Amino acid sequence: SWDWTHRDPDYLPPEIDTTKPSIARVYDAFLGGKDNFAVDRAIAMEGMRHFPDRGEGTRNNRAMLFRGVKYMAEQGVDQFLDIGSGLPTMDNTHSVAQRINPAAKVVYVDNDPIVLAHARAILQTDERTRVITADMREPEVILDHPDVEGFLDFSRPIGLLLVAVVHHLADAEDPNGLVDAYKARLAPGSYMQLTHFCSCAPEMRELEAVLLQMLGTGRARDMPEIARFFAGLDLVEPGVVHVPEWRPEEPVRHPLDLGGICVAGGVGRKP
Ligand code: SAM
């Protein structure tokens, strides 16, 4: 575990391998963050060479994450389960939710231990936030975890966030079955926000090829496949769309550019 008394600023916990790329750090590199290593930046650079969106796609995704959280908090949701939460950035799910409702609780889940290491430093004093290292492919482990089951009240609405994480599951891992397992545990009135790499543009196939080759993961699916993840939920207007078009706060310029079309998603409410 992380030794907080360590004085060496370059110290890294032994579970952090800087020679192998990490999804969370590659995403951070695309966002223009500083919590990444050369091996991660090489993938982001190669990705942007084939898909020259200058990282706009990741920033559009993150912006839609926050608009969705804000929307759910405004509907009265005061507890969130953010799976595949990624490294903390300038803004985060708990800060967005707590701006609407200071009592809002958030559990962050990521299978990359670097997320826990970074998030702990930020969240040490936040009583309404938890962060655990667990894998989305093990729904029971996450849903029965004491920091999830014992912290969130599953008899009341929860905002489930599966934002830019399901595209890291292969078809053979049954992404639909996994998403259904999470939805099944939610109380009526709960929401799910999900975003996903969209295969709408031919250029996306090139980005997908770079990610699959260099990172081993990152699959684009088409709109009907993405919409299918919301089965059993009532879609919040405007439905499943390219992320810049999900309840934008400023006018959206058409046609959408590469950074606008690479990710699609929406928010659904459990009846
Ligand atoms: N949700 C954040 C956002 O949209 O800004 C971060 C998205 S980032 C592209 C995907 C995150 O999902 C990474 O931090 C990665 O470590 C995590 N992840 C990938 N596969 C996962 C799995 N099987 N279980 C849990 N987390 C996973």
Side-chain angles (χ1 to χ4, degrees):
S1 68
W2 188 281
D3 176 3
W4 287 104
T5 60
H6 233 283
R7 302 282 174 205
D8 176 359
D10 294 327
Y11 172 79
L12 279 170
E15 66 268 27
I16 309 300
D17 184 347
T18 62
T19 66
K20 290 204 191 85
S22 122
I23 300 171
R25 297 189 320 237
V26 170
Y27 183 70
D28 180 71
F30 270 109
L31 279 173
K34 58 177 173 35
D35 297 320
N36 49 72
F37 299 100
V39 66
D40 311 303
R41 287 189 290 275
I43 297 177
M45 265 149 45
E46 187 64 9
M48 282 189 251
R49 205 165 68 78
H50 290 265
F51 193 85
D53 76 333
R54 301 179 313 279
E56 272 306 306
T58 50
R59 287 189 286 277
N60 284 331
N61 174 68
R62 193 102 187 136
M64 189 258 181
L65 161 68
F66 296 145
R67 293 198 302 281
V69 170
K70 190 170 163 233
Y71 172 86
M72 289 184 259
E74 285 167 351
Q75 309 312 304
V77 174
D78 61 359
Q79 37 181 7
F80 295 85
L81 180 58
D82 185 350
I83 301 179
S85 53
L87 284 161
T89 59
M90 299 263 284
D91 222 346
N92 296 289
T93 298
H94 73 284
S95 34
V96 174
Q98 288 170 1
R99 277 203 284 278
I100 310 282
N101 179 355
K105 289 177 167 183
V106 177
V107 180
Y108 291 108
V109 182
D110 204 289
N111 67 344
D112 188 332
I114 199 161
V115 171
L116 178 66
H118 279 253
R120 254 196 206 137
I122 291 175
L123 303 173
Q124 266 186 123
T125 55
D126 192 322
E127 288 296 311
R128 293 147 300 165
T129 307
R130 297 274 190 282
V131 48
I132 66 169
T133 300
D135 198 300
M136 193 206 156
R137 290 164 291 195
E138 297 181 321
E140 284 79 27
V141 172
I142 291 179
L143 293 164
D144 298 339
H145 192 288
D147 276 338
V148 177
E149 208 216 357
F151 185 62
L152 305 178
D153 178 359
F154 278 79
S155 71
R156 294 197 303 112
I158 286 177
L160 168 67
L161 306 176
L162 293 170
V163 179
V165 60
V166 174
H167 53 225
H168 293 299
L169 302 175
D171 288 344
E173 293 173 312
D174 189 18
N176 276 293
L178 287 167
V179 172
D180 285 348
Y182 290 99
K183 286 189 294 192
R185 283 277 192 108
L186 301 177
S190 292
Y191 289 84
M192 179 185 81
Q193 177 174 11
L194 184 148
T195 71
H196 196 292
F197 277 144
C198 180
S199 56
C200 308
E203 294 91 336
M204 257 320 273
R205 289 294 173 206
E206 284 196 44
L207 178 61
E208 179 184 55
V210 170
L211 293 175
L212 287 176
Q213 201 208 329
M214 293 180 81
L215 187 59
T217 173
R219 280 165 183 80
R221 294 187 169 99
D222 64 23
M223 280 290 197
E225 286 174 310
I226 299 171
R228 207 170 302 144
F229 292 120
F230 292 88
L233 306 181
D234 298 330
L235 281 172
V236 169
E237 283 297 316
V240 176
V241 292
H242 292 116
V243 290
E245 293 182 321
W246 197 86
R247 304 178 89 91
E249 287 169 354
E250 284 158 24
V252 179
R253 233 191 289 144
H254 287 97
L256 293 175
D257 55 14
L258 282 183
I261 47 140
C262 58
V263 183
V267 174
R269 182 181 182 276
K270 187 162 174 176

